[in-house]
């Protein structure tokens, strides 16, 4: 994997770049739709390519390991072949889901013992095991196995957890560097900066991660409940330490405003379930602001969802019709809303990139943060 | 509306024709996907056009009347404008749903009083009212308001019900012929033959319906639980009486075998929820037979769902992947299965038409009835 920096915004720390992977290029800053179980919920692969214009999607190691399982993924020839998505894929390490979904889990130095949320069966995720699993899934970018601390978090717990995450990172790197991909193309491993909302821990972690000299780096443990200002403070601190010539991935973030603010601080890659999850509840992000499509005010609004976006669902379906679909609990409602919201997120980062290249990002960002978060 | 007969199969009563409506032509025999609440469940309008290659879809008067309601449909400019489907639409009369969905309903000469299954509110559907409602919905083909008798049914009940259905038909015709469409294009009214599974009642009803001289005619009250042989017997009896130069629509039918057998008896138009409803439960109809995609036997089958069909979902997604989607209860599973099954149904009637035109329908039908109903 290589990374070319194309432009720097003169008034912020925002950058525009290109990540090159075995499955094609990714123009940054980029938003990555979340495809938890090998499917971006409710969205067809073709629509993801042509309408959403996604350049890379996420897969989730915890979910894919449990279902369909490694035997199926290996037999398919990896996740790309299994789900038919032939552009880049990133897999998270499964750590976050082990902590949030599994009823009982036990974190030890060796790794994490947990029970499947599906059938209660026992499993162990270790740094080495998770590298092997992600080798089998076959993502282009794979993530280190870490502990994502909850928020708020005691300093002592965060500090001890961080040390373990760092020891785990060394084990991940050792395993990753002593193995090869199964499907004939190169994979790359991103380490993850942790440290909760403690500045000294974040500095320590960013320095440790930077020292590993990997091809890209991630920031985890944010957007877990802390105030946005604390998130931005941590991101800025960490971005200033992480190498400038490597892409920076802020995990699990966030609202359109969060994304724009973090781009301004030097983040290149984002993922979040918000566009698809909120879509399923009838919340539509548009270029003019946020629409709760179930509100009665849209009942007789025959305008398209968002003509500015230009994609099929955003221009073809009226607000009145989409409201009707949600009122009638028709599946087509969440389908349309999911494609629309993802189209918006991809539009937003594409616009951001153009503004960075043009050197006009800051002013545009200040306007857009207000505009896209307005409740319509 | 006009109907051109293009070909007759020499060995059966099957015909190939073209129905011309204000929203375009329909090549018969045809299957009409059911779009109950103004949406063919889980299928985007674009996919219905390009992948399924639907030529006409159904709307349901009962559902559309309750939600989004006539005010919304009128303001939108009719259902075509509301849901963006610009090809022909047929609406049923709502009678069937009044009997099956409404908890309390009272059938009187005047009409049917019922309570909404959504909010319990009281409503009256009369022959005149249902004509007015379908005028407002704006379907190209609208259906008479009838009583669809359950099966089995006492002869006396069926006979009295039929007489009322015929009186209602006269009232429907009077109202329809004394009103005009709201949106500047012509609509047409199809009467419905009833009579349960009693030959004399079916003959009486078919003769009564034929005498009305409408542009097309329908057969209702079948596929409600009776043995397939009785359905075929009634269809044949009725088709022999209904005018040859008008399209014949067999309501609510059926399995792929039912459709082929009824085409052989002279039916031109079909609708059924089976392809979409069964799709949502993981049953896939293919050119080689029926697949229950949740079965373990498909877990490592990386072949496309049905390469013969040629459409996007049928060729892009593997059986293994679709099985995984159903196992994981991912929405994309029902979405893919719905488009696939509808594509199969439209493929089936298109093939039937080609065989009729070629004069080879009977032999092909005998083979296909077995093939497509085989459990794989």
């Amino acid at each position: 994997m290589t990374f070319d920096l194309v432009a720097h915004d003169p008034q912020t720390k925002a950058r525009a770049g290109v990540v090159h992977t075995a499955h094609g290029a990714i123009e940054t800053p980029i938003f990555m739709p979340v495809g938890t179980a090998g499917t971006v919920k409710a969205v067809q692969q073709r629509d993801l390519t042509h309408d959403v214009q996604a350049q890379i999607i996420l897969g989730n190691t915890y979910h894919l390991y449990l279902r369909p399982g490694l035997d199926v993924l290996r037999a398919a020839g990896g996740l790309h072949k299994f789900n038919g998505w032939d552009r880049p894929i990133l897999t998270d390490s499964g750590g976050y889901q082990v902590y949030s979904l599994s009823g009982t889990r036990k974190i030890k130095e060796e790794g994490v013992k947990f029970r499947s949320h599906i059938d209660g069966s026992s499993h162990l995720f270790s740094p080495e095991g998770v590298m092997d699993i992600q080798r089998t899934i076959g993502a282009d970018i794979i993530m280190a196995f870490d502990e994502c601390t909850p928020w708020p978090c005691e300093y002592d717990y965060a500090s001890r957890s961080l040390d373990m995450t760092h020891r785990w990172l060394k084990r991940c790197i050792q395993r990753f560097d002593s193995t090869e991909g199964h499907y004939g193309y190169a994979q790359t491993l991103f380490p993850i900066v942790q440290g909760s909302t403690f500045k000294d821990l974040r500095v320590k972690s960013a320095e440790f991660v930077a020292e590993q000299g990997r091809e890209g780096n991630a920031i985890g443990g944010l957007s877990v409940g802390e105030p946005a200002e604390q998130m931005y403070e941590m991101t800025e601190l960490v971005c200033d330490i992480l190498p400038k010539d490597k892409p920076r991935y802020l995990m699990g973030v966030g609202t359109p405003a969060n994304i724009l603010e973090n781009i301004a601080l030097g983040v290149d890659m984002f993922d979040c379930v918000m566009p698809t999850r909120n879509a399923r509840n009838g919340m539509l992000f548009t270029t003019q602001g946020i629409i709760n499509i179930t509100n009665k005010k849209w009942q007789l609004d025959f305008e398209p969802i968002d003509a500015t976006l230009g994609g099929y669902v955003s221009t073809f379906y009226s607000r009145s019709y989409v409201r009707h679909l949600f009122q009638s609990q028709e599946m087509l409602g969440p389908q349309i809303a999911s494609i629309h919201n993802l189209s918006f997120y991809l539009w937003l980062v594409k616009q951001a990139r153009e503004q960075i290249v043009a050197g006009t990002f800051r002013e545009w960002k200040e306007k857009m943060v207000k505009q896209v978060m307005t409740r319509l």
Side-chain angles (χ1 to χ4, degrees), chain A residues 141-153:
Chain A
I141 300 173
I142 79 177
M143 302 304 298
F145 190 61
D146 63 345
E147 184 183 3
C148 176
T149 47
W151 189 88
C153 181

Side-chain angles (χ1 to χ4, degrees), chain A residues 7 41 161 237 319:
Chain A
K41 286 187 194 300
S161 166
L237 196 64
R319 295 160 183 184

